[in-house]
Amino acid sequence: MDVVRTPLIAGNWKMNLDHLQAIAFVQKLAWSLKDHDYSADKVEVAVFPPFTDLRSVQTLIAADKLPLHLGAQDLSPHDSGAHTGDISGAFLAQLNCQYVIIGHSERRADHHEADELVAAKTLAAVKHGLIPVVCVGETAEDRDTHGAAKIPVEQLRVVLEAISQDSDYVIAYEPVWAIGSGTPATADEAEEVCAVLRDTIANSHGQERAESTRILYGGSVKSGNIAGFMKRPNVDGALVGGASLDVDEFSAIVRFPDHVTLD
Ligand code: PEP
């Protein structure tokens, strides 16, 4: 029997919107989705605000019973203690975060996060009951030297070795050259790498886990190109940066089943 993977559209706000702006944004997003008869059964939506917004957004989601999931953009590999500025997965779980982004290319670049640290953070997320959204992807130079899949597969393998095969996780394939560039991968390019990543999961964690794991594409996703990605069998959603900060645009991305675009 084929496994049904509910698509996930995840909005990575990066370092944008303070907690007051976040409240206004989430209210508008919820109205937009409601106006368009959004059904959470068909597509799951998650927002990933900065840490300082999480409590406000959590309270709003709970009070108004909004059909939105909450995630953080990073976490510490440690549970608690002398780690100034870090945030424990335990704290995120207390805030009803279901997801946490790990290993985003901006953190790998800005904070020199190596694969081993990404693996340790993924383990910490799983330990605290959070679903890690593990980002992997190649730079333009990597792609020109090795082809698109080699580096993402290597990054993924280190993570898979660190966690058990019954852990729940999401993978985000994000070619670094596509992030914030306005030049997305083509749907065929995304599909090709996502298929290899699924094979990598099957080899490490078994076929069943590979079939049930959602693999997202990220990198300059917009309402005009999302349908093309979502038509591909190994793309199960999108990690959206810039376009997740525009209510109408993000709402239209979430509603991809209703609009088919020309690739
Ligand atoms: C991201 O930050 O994960 C991302 C994909 O950004 P953008 O959609 O702006 O390319």
Side-chain angles (χ1 to χ4, degrees), residues 44-254:
E44 197 181 321
V45 183
V47 291
F48 293 76
F51 286 129
T52 50
D53 300 1
L54 288 173
R55 176 66 173 151
S56 305
V57 176
Q58 177 223 354
T59 306
L60 178 59
I61 290 174
D64 292 358
K65 298 191 174 49
L66 304 181
L68 299 173
H69 295 271
L70 185 62
Q73 298 177 16
D74 183 41
L75 87 172
S76 170
H78 307 288
D79 293 347
S80 63
H83 304 288
T84 303
D86 285 356
I87 300 291
S88 167
F91 306 162
L92 299 176
Q94 282 286 0
L95 283 174
N96 289 343
C97 284
Q98 292 98 344
Y99 293 101
V100 58
I101 295 172
I102 300 176
H104 192 281
S105 63
E106 287 153 14
R107 290 206 63 86
R108 290 180 191 259
D110 294 356
H111 300 274
H112 311 290
E113 292 195 3
D115 292 342
E116 291 66 28
L117 180 58
V118 172
K121 289 184 171 192
T122 306
L123 192 57
V126 170
K127 176 178 173 185
H128 292 293
L130 302 162
I131 300 175
V133 178
V134 180
C135 301
V136 298
E138 82 288 1
T139 62
E141 201 187 337
D142 293 333
R143 183 192 53 182
D144 295 346
T145 314
H146 310 288
K150 184 171 187 283
I151 299 298
V153 165
E154 281 175 11
Q155 292 172 334
L156 177 58
R157 278 205 190 110
V158 179
V159 167
L160 296 179
E161 277 165 22
I163 56 174
S164 75
Q165 64 178 43
D166 51 9
S167 313
D168 197 2
Y169 53 87
V170 172
I171 304 301
Y173 168 53
E174 297 210 304
V176 180
W177 48 268
I179 296 177
S181 68
T183 307
T186 65
D188 285 341
E189 285 169 336
E191 167 62 19
E192 204 177 310
V193 178
C194 289
V196 178
L197 295 174
R198 200 175 300 287
D199 286 345
T200 306
I201 296 172
N203 290 335
S204 292
H205 284 180
Q207 194 62 32
E208 207 176 311
R209 174 53 58 192
E211 278 172 23
S212 64
T213 297
R214 287 175 295 180
I215 303 181
L216 315 182
Y217 165 75
S220 298
V221 168
K222 303 232 167 5
S223 60
N225 59 30
I226 182 67
F229 292 111
M230 296 308 296
K231 276 189 243 158
R232 300 306 193 275
N234 284 293
V235 180
D236 306 312
L239 183 53
V240 185
S244 75
L245 296 167
D246 178 323
V247 169
D248 294 334
E249 183 65 8
F250 190 61
S251 168
I253 291 171
V254 170

